[in-house]
Every structure is written in structure tokens, then in C-alpha cells.
Amino acid sequence: MQEKEIENAKREKLRREKPAVYDKVIKIAERHQQGIATPIIDIAYNYACNLKCLHCTAARFTKKDRKLTPPDLKKLSDEAHSLGFCQFCVSGGEPLIFKDLEEVIAALQPDKFHLTMSTNGHFLNKEKARHLKAIGMDKLKISLDDFDEKLHNENRNNSGAYQKAMDAFFNAKEAGLSVVIQTVVTHQNCQTDRLIQMAKFAQDNGFTVDVLIARATGEWEGKHEVLIDESDAEFLRKAHDQYPVLHRDTFPSYGINKGCGCVDSTLHVTQYGDVTPCVYIPISIGNIFEESLGAIIKRGQSIKCFQKYSSLCLSGEDRDFINKYMSKSYGKPLPIHWTDAFNEDDFIK
């Protein structure tokens, strides 16, 4: 199946299951041309997790008294709907251990939004998968760091993580959920047969592969040797040509070649309400407890590096951005405030 056929099949499924959301999704390309932000909002509702992965930054985020609650998410959802947004992703931590997960999903108004969840799959049995589908979840992104069982388990610090993820893929598929293999690719594991095997496995089973290129964050903070280079990026492009189900953040989507989509196409909300330009840029551009979502997006769009098109992932490939801005967060409580990262010259006058 070619890339356009895959996209059309996804949209047809959405049109059948959530027509109101479909009506918003088909307007994304037009909004992008007009410079209107339509980000997928990733929400780290709670940092609680059963695993300790090497690339995780959750432990570094400063604990604050006020944390997200379902009513906060309902308010955020209302604002996002009024702005024409159409997609949320629930992340963490590990969402499947959230005690109030059903309230979280209800607050995000599944009839108005396409809902995705990022999970390690450890607790996704068949009954849980069917229940998630019944209460409005559309897609699961299940982590698989390597097609080699030993290497995945080592990165997840858990000897059973690989098999749990494998079981989760098929439990989700059987429940009617869209299935995404979410994999972290470093310079060291990018150009391997194992990644190609993963793409083939996905294509053979009706899954997609979401490539998350490594960032120098978490236990990798400052370790730029894990970042991919031009040769690695070209390998991923060729792998995508061979297996269209393999995607990464800078590949075209929704018929748009948007490049790095910080602010315009992606936003991240921490457990404490801070909004960052993407999951991997630990720089707060505002807080939903203090400002409206619209005001925060307006600030983000006024920062030069987020307004201009970039064919490189800013946080994982653009060495200038990494050295000039990402490095300012090294060794500090996260996220840092935008005034600690950007100066007046970084803003559009």
C-alpha cells in the first residue's frame, strides 16, 4: 500500500467513526497555508511509570504544587476546540497506570478530538484494549526501542518489556485501535537491518512506525554522539520509500511538507501545566494555569526559530539550535522559562 492510500484509509476510518473530528482534520492543510497553528497536543498528565528508560526526562521536571486534573483538561479541550484543533495525545509516565484515566479521556471530549495514547504496552491486555476503544480512544503508540528483544529490554530496564509490547500491538489491533510502533533511533542503531525488519513487520501487520530520533536529554543529556547525522537521515528517507508505513517528524503528513512542526503542529503540556514547543524541547513558552492556550501559542509563533520552515528536527538534528538553546537547559530543573532561553533578538518585532 502506498503512502497516499494509507492516509486515505486512515481518514476514511476517522470519517466513519468520528465525523465531527474528520471535518476538522481535512482543514489542516488549508490552515497551515494560512499560518494558523493546528498542533497535536501531547499531555504528560502524570509522570508515574512502571519502567525507567534511558531517554526519559520525567524525573528532571520541577515538582510544583498544582498538577493537571480532569477539569483542567476539560477547560484545555474547550479552548482547543474553539481554536479548531483536533488531536490530543495522552502520555506520561505510563497512562495505563493512571487511576483516573477514564476521567482524563472523558475530559478530552472524544467526540470532538482524535485521541492517541503513548504507552509501553506493559498492561495492555485484550480487555483493556477493548475498553479503551469503547470509551473513545482511537490510536495507541506502543514503544519498541529495538527489534532485538535484548536491546529493547536493556533500554527499558525490564526483562519482559519486549514481549509485553509485542502482545500489546496485536491486542490493540484486535480491539479496532490504530497501532503505531513508536521507536527511538540513535546514531548507533539507525542504519541497521533491525530497523528495516521493524518496518517490514509493521507493514505486514497493518501498523505504522513512528521514528523518534534521539535527543540529548534524560540520561543522554549533553551526549551529542547519540544524535543522528545526515547519513542517518538519508537512510530513514530511503527506508520510508521502501516501507511507507515508516514515518518521522519531518516527513510530509496530511499532504503538507511542514518540516519541524514546533508550535504550529505540535505542543506539549507537562503535568504542571507548562507548555513546551514539543515533547523534547524543555523550554516553557507559557502555563495553562496562568494564560489562555491562544496567548501561549501566539507567543510561541513570535519566536523566530519556530516560525520559519526547517527541514531538520530542531531538538534532534539542528546543531545550531541544540547548542544555542537546548544546551541552556542542561543540568537545570525543567522546563526552563522562555526568558532563560531566548532574548529580544529571538523574537519577531
Side-chain angles (χ1 to χ4, degrees), residues 18 22 41 43 103 129 147 154 179 183 204 216 219 229 245 255 264 282 286 295 317:
K18 293 186 176 182
Y22 172 81
I41 302 178
I43 303 168
E103 295 174 66
F147 211 56
E154 285 178 353
V179 179
T183 190
D204 289 346
E219 291 190 25
D229 58 22
V245 297
D264 282 345
E317 286 180 285

Side-chain angles (χ1 to χ4, degrees), residues 116-250:
T116 300
M117 178 186 294
S118 289
T119 173
N120 57 45
H122 207 81
F123 302 104
L124 191 77
N125 56 32
K126 292 183 178 183
E127 181 182 1
K128 176 68 74 173
R130 288 193 292 266
H131 183 64
L132 289 174
K133 178 65 176 177
I135 61 177
M137 191 60 58
D138 299 289
K139 179 193 296 183
L140 293 190
K141 293 184 175 182
I142 302 166
S143 299
L144 189 68
D145 295 330
D146 201 290
F147 211 56
D148 181 290
E149 181 172 2
K150 181 176 181 290
L151 293 174
H152 173 78
N153 288 343
E154 285 178 353
N155 191 57
R156 296 273 153 176
N157 285 300
N158 185 286
S159 61
Y162 182 90
Q163 190 57 53
K164 288 286 189 179
M166 280 291 176
D167 292 342
F169 296 140
F170 293 99
N171 291 342
K173 180 181 179 180
E174 183 180 298
L177 292 157
S178 297
V179 179
V180 178
I181 300 173
Q182 194 164 245
T183 190
V184 176
V185 170
T186 67
H187 174 63
Q188 288 72 29
N189 74 1
C190 181
Q191 298 187 50
T192 65
D193 290 339
R194 301 191 306 277
L195 185 59
I196 299 302
Q197 291 167 5
M198 186 187 294
K200 184 178 186 305
F201 167 77
Q203 192 149 297
D204 289 346
N205 288 283
F207 309 150
T208 56
V209 179
D210 185 8
V211 171
L212 305 177
I213 64 168
R215 276 77 167 185
T217 58
E219 291 190 25
W220 294 339
E221 184 175 89
K223 297 180 179 179
H224 293 183
E225 61 269 22
V226 304
L227 305 178
I228 69 168
D229 58 22
E230 291 182 11
S231 175
D232 298 325
E234 180 61 22
F235 179 87
L236 293 174
R237 283 191 288 270
K238 289 180 177 178
H240 170 70
D241 291 341
Q242 184 179 5
Y243 296 100
V245 297
L246 185 144
H247 286 270
R248 57 159 301 196
D249 52 354
T250 55

Side-chain angles (χ1 to χ4, degrees), residues 41-54:
I41 302 178
D42 179 89
I43 303 168
Y45 180 72
N46 191 307
Y47 291 128
C49 189
N50 60 305
L51 300 180
K52 294 183 178 180
C53 308
L54 296 179

Side-chain angles (χ1 to χ4, degrees), residues 3 102 120 264 319 331:
E3 185 172 8
E102 288 197 32
N120 57 45
D264 282 345
R319 297 308 197 271

